[in-house]
Amino acid sequence: MMRTLRGAVLGLIATVGLGIAGGVTEVRPAAAQIVLKPAYGEASLSGPARARGAVVWSHGRSVDSEDSEAPTPLYMKTLRDAGWDVYRLDRMRVSDTLPNSARALAGYSDMLKTRGYRRVALTGQSFGAFISLIAAGQTNAVDSVIATAPAAFGNFTEAYDSYRENAAQLWPILREVRRARVMMFFFHGDDFDPGGRAEPARSILAQRGLSSLIIDQPSLLPGHGAANTGLFVRRFGACIARFAEAPPAANDPPCDESWGRSPSAELLQAALPANASGSAKGDVDTTAALRPFMGMWYGSYINGREVALSVEKAEGDVVHADYLLGAGMEADQPFERVRRKGRIENGELVFDEKGRNMLRYRLRPDGRISATWLDRDGRGRLDTVLRRVN
C-alpha cells in the first residue's frame, strides 16, 4: 500500500499541466518543483489502512535561500508518534507562489483522501501556513489546518509597505475555508505579524460555523520561528495532536500544557536542598551579595529542557551550587546534574570554570532572575528567566 501511495504521488507530479482524473485539482505549471514526500522516510509510513491520517507540513519561503532544505519542525514528531503518516511539501522558490503552491497542496490533499486516509491535516509555517489555509478553501478533503505564524507579505523591517497584508489578506482566505477546523498560533515579537489578528480570526471562523483554536502570544515563545522550538512542542504538542484528530471538546485538557511552570518529579528529586542561610567563611561582602540568590530557581529553555539552579552556600569568595538540566527532546539528551563553583561579579552570579559552559544570573526587579547559558566554545547561547521554588 505504501508503494501504491508513492506511485500516486509521483503520478501527480508527472501530470504537470494536465487535467487529472478522479477530482484531483489540476497542477500547473511548475508542479514538478512542488513535491510531496515522507517527512521521515518511507519506512515511517503505516499506509492509509493503519495510520490515523495523513498530515502534510509546508515550510516557509525565503528570498535568498531554499526553505525546502529546512528541517521538519519538532512538533511533527508528536503527530508521527500518535500514529499519523507525516509528509512534507517541498517547494522550489522559482515556482513557490501562493496560487501555485496552494493549488498543488489541494491536489495532494485530494489524492491522499482518495488513497484511503481517514483524515487529512495540513500544517504550515509562515508562507506554508498561508498556502495550507488557501488549500483548505479549494477542496473538501482537508479536515484540519494547523497554521503557525502565518505570513506571506514580508516583515516590518524589510517590507514595511506590504507587511500589513499579512492581516488584510488573511481575512478573505479564512472566509473561503470550506469545512476544515482551524488552529492558528500568533507569537509575541513576530516581525511578520501586524498584530491584532486573533480576535478577527476567531470571529470569521465562528461566523462560518467552523471549529477553531486561536493561540495568541503564548508566554515565553517569542518570534517568528517559535513553533520550531522544543518549548513549543512541550507546551502544545499534545493539543495539536488532539486537534488534528477531532474538534475540541468541553472536557479536553487545557491546550497550553503546564510543562515548564513547575519542576518535574525528576528534577525535584535530583535537586539538593538549598541552604537558606548560607555559609560564609571570611568574606562578609560575598555572603551579603549572594543572599538574594540563595535557594532553588526553576524555568525552561526554548529548546524544551527544564533548568534549575540550586544555590547552596558561599565559602570565602566561592559560591557553591547545583545546576540541573532536564532531559531533552532527543534520546541523546539525558538528565544532567553538575556541581558548579562560581562568584559574585558586579552584582551577577557567574560560573565560568575552565573547560565548562558559562552560566550567568542577574536579579530582576520582579523577584525572578535572568539566566544565560553560554557555550564554552562561543557557538551557542540560551536565555531564560527563572523563578524561586519554595
Side-chain angles (χ1 to χ4, degrees):
M1 188 169 290
M2 281 185 284
R3 287 196 187 120
T4 303
L5 179 59
R6 181 172 181 270
V9 172
L10 295 177
L12 181 57
I13 296 168
T15 41
V16 176
L18 302 177
I20 299 171
V24 177
T25 304
E26 184 180 5
V27 182
R28 315 178 181 187
Q33 295 167 322
I34 302 176
V35 182
L36 185 74
K37 67 180 185 181
Y40 303 108
E42 284 196 49
S44 69
L45 301 180
S46 299
R50 296 176 55 196
R52 304 201 71 82
V55 56
V56 182
W57 178 72
S58 295
H59 55 75
R61 187 184 192 278
S62 298
V63 175
D64 54 1
S65 63
E66 292 291 354
D67 270 24
S68 58
E69 299 174 1
T72 306
L74 287 171
Y75 77 86
M76 296 303 293
K77 291 183 179 180
T78 303
L79 289 161
R80 180 198 63 185
D81 295 344
W84 289 72
D85 279 356
V86 180
Y87 296 87
R88 54 181 288 151
L89 188 72
D90 284 350
R91 315 174 314 273
M92 299 296 288
R93 280 181 298 156
V94 66
S95 58
D96 192 13
T97 65
L98 290 177
N100 270 354
S101 297
R103 187 165 51 240
L105 181 55
Y108 283 128
S109 300
D110 284 335
M111 182 206 66
L112 291 166
K113 222 33 170 324
T114 299
R115 297 309 304 166
Y117 281 105
R118 290 171 285 175
R119 305 174 184 87
V120 173
L122 305 181
T123 67
Q125 162 69 14
S126 190
F127 195 92
F130 258 76
I131 66 170
S132 297
L133 291 165
I134 295 171
Q138 296 179 348
T139 174
N140 290 322
V142 179
D143 298 288
S144 60
V145 177
I146 294 93
T148 59
F153 299 93
N155 61 23
F156 177 89
T157 304
E158 299 171 351
Y160 180 78
D161 291 338
S162 65
Y163 96 109
R164 291 183 183 85
E165 296 298 300
N166 290 324
Q169 296 300 321
L170 183 60
W171 314 141
I173 291 171
L174 293 179
R175 292 188 184 101
E176 294 296 320
V177 174
R178 293 189 182 181
R179 55 176 294 274
R181 55 190 174 273
V182 176
M183 185 179 198
M184 278 195 291
F185 290 85
F186 302 118
F187 299 109
H188 178 72
D190 180 356
D191 200 30
F192 291 77
D193 194 336
R197 296 195 289 178
E199 286 308 317
R202 288 190 186 101
S203 177
I204 291 170
L205 293 168
Q207 291 170 12
R208 298 290 318 288
L210 299 174
S211 295
S212 69
L213 273 177
I214 311 299
I215 312 299
D216 189 28
Q217 302 189 56
S219 64
L220 304 179
L221 284 167
H224 192 59
N228 299 323
T229 66
L231 180 56
F232 180 82
V233 183
R234 300 284 202 190
R235 295 264 295 280
F236 294 104
C239 185
I240 289 171
R242 287 196 304 270
F243 189 85
E245 183 89 14
N251 59 348
D252 283 346
C255 191
D256 189 347
E257 296 282 354
S258 62
W259 188 92
R261 290 187 172 86
S262 58
S264 65
E266 180 182 40
L267 208 70
L268 283 175
Q269 290 170 2
L272 294 177
N275 182 344
S277 61
S279 174
K281 294 185 179 179
D283 195 329
V284 176
D285 291 337
T286 296
T287 303
L290 176 65
R291 188 168 291 115
F293 291 98
M294 296 296 294
M296 181 175 172
W297 302 85
Y298 172 81
S300 60
Y301 288 131
I302 197 72
N303 63 7
R305 301 188 75 168
E306 293 180 291
V307 60
L309 182 76
S310 181
V311 183
E312 182 182 354
K313 63 182 179 180
E315 291 182 342
D317 293 334
V318 179
V319 177
H320 296 270
D322 272 1
Y323 177 73
L324 301 99
L325 190 61
M329 304 295 297
E330 305 295 344
D332 62 350
Q333 296 176 325
F335 174 88
E336 300 176 32
R337 184 180 70 181
V338 182
R339 189 71 166 164
R340 300 296 301 257
K341 293 181 180 179
R343 67 186 183 280
I344 299 294
E345 181 181 279
N346 297 324
E348 288 190 328
L349 179 54
V350 180
F351 301 88
D352 61 351
E353 303 101 309
K354 184 177 180 180
R356 289 185 167 181
N357 301 324
M358 178 181 286
L359 307 172
R360 303 187 74 96
Y361 302 92
R362 185 179 69 258
L363 291 168
R364 291 165 45 109
D366 61 4
R368 298 184 292 174
I369 59 175
S370 296
T372 299
W373 173 94
L374 295 167
D375 180 80
R376 62 176 175 268
D377 298 323
R379 294 176 297 185
R381 173 179 177 140
L382 290 170
D383 292 288
T384 191
V385 176
L386 308 182
R387 69 178 186 279
R388 188 185 297 277
V389 178
N390 295 323

